[in-house]
Amino acid sequence: MMHRRQRVCVLGSTGSIGTNTLDVVGRHPERFEVFALSAMHRIDDLAAQCRQWRPRFAVVPDRARARGLRDLLGDARTEVLDHEGALAEVAAHPDVDVVMAAIVGAAGLRPCLAAAQAGKRLLLANKEALVVGGALLMAAVREGGATLLPIDSEHSAIFQCLPTDASTWRARIDHIVLTASGGPFRTRDATTLRDVTPDEACAHPNWVMGRKISVDSATMMNKALEVIEARWLFDLPPADIRVVIHPQSIVHSMVVCRDRSVLAQLGTPDMRVPIAYGLSYPERIESGAEDIDFASLAALTFEEADARRYPGLHLAWQTLRAAPGSTAVLNAANEVAVAAFLDGRIRFDQIHALNDRILQQVVPTPQDALSIDALLALDARSRRRAAAWLEELRK
């Protein structure tokens, strides 16, 4: 089959998802070309990507860093954008076909909404876009005629196991099961978790990820956010979303049908698999991942999550039952908490303490979830309260 080359915009191109996306794109030069890249901090890496891929645009939402990128690129053909709204502008650009949304945090919400409203194929690796603005983003996808494809390995697995016709999902599904590796502390004495260092928390046993998401994996907050994300992606009641620990990370998630058949998607722990699926859907293309050697697999095991070890996991269902906007409060508090832990300002066990405290102190009003501006104001209010708690802790 002949394809017009798809123009790809990679938001967050220097992170692990972004670099893996470019790896898959590079394996299929006849199918894809890079239209735009963005980054915030790794300007040298972004410059190298621009030299290799020659995108039309590079976005750096910081004037000083953007000036540094221009100096590094010299007279290269790539135009560097730094103005407010530039991320949303390139995500919705008429010449863009596919947007990989891999910016970490609530900052990715506006460009995701812009891409959805413009009817793009939106590959969603930014789980916070749905955690913060799930109702708004799903409405934008419907109204804009966009195609939303999840890139988290768990949600991609669920999507691959579901029928193509989404209108039949509720009639066929009893519940879904998201798998979790358990992170680096699955077997560690829970009483010693207060002594965990940032480097220990970032040493994931199965996946190569950025530091923030690695810490989220260690606390299982990433799974809490994925439960919230799944509620919006698959329009399921929170009670129909379950979590089980699967240390080998081979079964990426499962769908339990009404007749109790269980459909699962398996694969090596390599993010290029869901990325390749999202880029090529409904076809499949070479991802670069290795085959599973079933003969060498000693066992596939499953276990419940220990509430003492992972106290933050239950906050997913708690916030989904609470006032709209509560999931945005949780996400904001957690971003502040993880940053403080990585900076050495709080202990590992205080991440959950901060998240729980801010959920008690910042209670959304009905107006807080009505628009993106209101949600981002709620996000900012939650961050201020979290910062104040950190100050109180320091005294």
Side-chain angles (χ1 to χ4, degrees):
M1 181 185 294
M2 296 297 292
H3 297 270
R4 178 180 72 80
R5 290 213 301 171
Q6 300 286 290
R7 301 184 185 97
V8 182
C9 169
V10 185
L11 305 179
S13 63
T14 60
S16 60
I17 296 295
T19 55
N20 277 314
T21 300
L22 293 174
D23 181 271
V24 175
V25 165
R27 294 171 186 275
H28 304 277
E30 76 288 354
R31 296 185 65 124
F32 306 109
E33 61 181 286
V34 176
F35 178 83
L37 301 172
S38 86
M40 181 57 122
H41 299 293
R42 300 174 186 170
I43 302 305
D44 288 344
D45 292 345
L46 181 58
Q49 290 177 342
C50 289
R51 294 188 195 100
Q52 178 179 358
W53 297 102
R54 300 176 61 81
R56 190 185 309 181
F57 298 109
V59 181
V60 181
D62 177 275
R63 288 190 175 180
R65 294 189 181 109
R67 188 162 52 248
L69 179 62
R70 292 188 187 98
D71 291 342
L72 288 170
L73 293 179
D75 295 329
R77 55 162 276 183
T78 299
E79 181 180 354
V80 180
L81 306 178
D82 61 13
H83 59 272
E84 184 178 358
L87 289 169
E89 181 181 308
V90 296
H93 196 285
D95 291 342
V96 167
D97 300 298
V98 182
V99 176
M100 169 57 79
I103 296 174
V104 174
L109 180 54
R110 283 193 189 277
C112 284
L113 280 171
Q117 290 162 349
K120 306 301 182 184
R121 171 175 292 212
L122 177 58
L123 309 186
L124 190 65
N126 172 269
K127 61 173 59 70
E128 292 86 359
L130 282 173
V131 171
V132 175
L136 292 178
L137 181 56
M138 297 310 294
V141 168
R142 290 190 297 271
E143 293 164 8
T147 300
L148 177 62
L149 296 168
I151 298 302
D152 273 349
S153 61
E154 297 83 359
H155 299 99
S156 177
I158 296 295
F159 185 81
Q160 292 180 56
C161 291
L162 290 171
T164 303
D165 184 357
S167 68
T168 69
W169 290 354
R170 294 296 293 275
R172 298 188 185 200
I173 299 171
D174 184 81
H175 64 276
I176 64 174
V177 181
L178 303 179
T179 58
S181 70
F185 309 129
R186 182 178 63 85
T187 59
R188 178 165 170 159
D189 182 349
T191 63
T192 70
L193 292 177
R194 61 177 285 131
D195 302 321
V196 163
T197 68
D199 285 345
E200 289 174 329
C202 291
H204 196 282
N206 298 339
W207 299 92
V208 177
M209 305 181 293
R211 288 173 70 80
K212 194 271 181 182
I213 193 172
S214 294
V215 175
D216 282 347
S217 179
T219 62
M220 287 267 279
M221 182 52 66
N222 73 317
K223 208 55 52 178
L225 299 179
E226 287 170 12
V227 168
I228 297 166
E229 189 180 6
R231 178 265 174 272
W232 293 108
L233 282 170
F234 307 118
D235 193 25
L236 290 173
D240 291 348
I241 305 168
R242 319 280 173 83
V243 172
V244 66
I245 290 180
H246 169 51
Q248 295 80 21
S249 296
I250 297 297
V251 177
H252 295 303
S253 278
M254 297 168 276
V255 173
V256 181
C257 302
R258 298 278 184 190
D259 62 3
R260 291 309 187 261
S261 296
V262 179
L263 308 178
Q265 187 264 339
L266 285 68
T268 52
D270 189 323
M271 284 307 300
R272 290 177 296 178
V273 175
I275 290 169
Y277 183 74
L279 284 168
S280 64
Y281 177 82
E283 301 173 44
R284 290 183 184 266
I285 58 175
E286 170 64 34
S287 67
E290 295 182 359
D291 291 339
I292 296 177
D293 181 2
F294 286 99
S296 70
L297 291 178
L300 298 179
T301 61
F302 303 89
E303 57 195 61
E304 290 186 11
D306 180 352
R308 285 198 312 154
R309 194 181 308 278
Y310 309 113
L313 180 60
H314 80 278
L315 295 178
W317 293 275
Q318 176 182 318
T319 53
L320 284 170
R321 291 192 301 266
S326 297
T327 56
V329 175
L330 173 61
N331 180 73
N334 186 64
E335 288 189 16
V336 173
V338 171
F341 168 70
L342 288 172
D343 289 343
R345 290 181 287 148
I346 61 173
R347 300 190 310 267
F348 183 78
D349 61 313
Q350 290 176 316
I351 295 174
H352 173 67
L354 188 155
N355 291 340
D356 192 48
R357 178 69 64 88
I358 302 310
L359 282 171
Q360 295 175 37
Q361 294 184 349
V362 181
V363 179
T365 68
Q367 290 72 34
D368 284 331
L370 293 181
S371 69
I372 183 173
D373 289 333
L375 280 168
L376 292 177
L378 175 63
D379 174 271
R381 192 160 78 246
S382 303
R383 291 172 190 273
R384 288 195 298 271
R385 186 61 224 137
W389 187 84
L390 289 173
E391 279 300 309
E392 293 168 10
L393 195 66
R394 197 168 62 90
K395 293 176 181 176

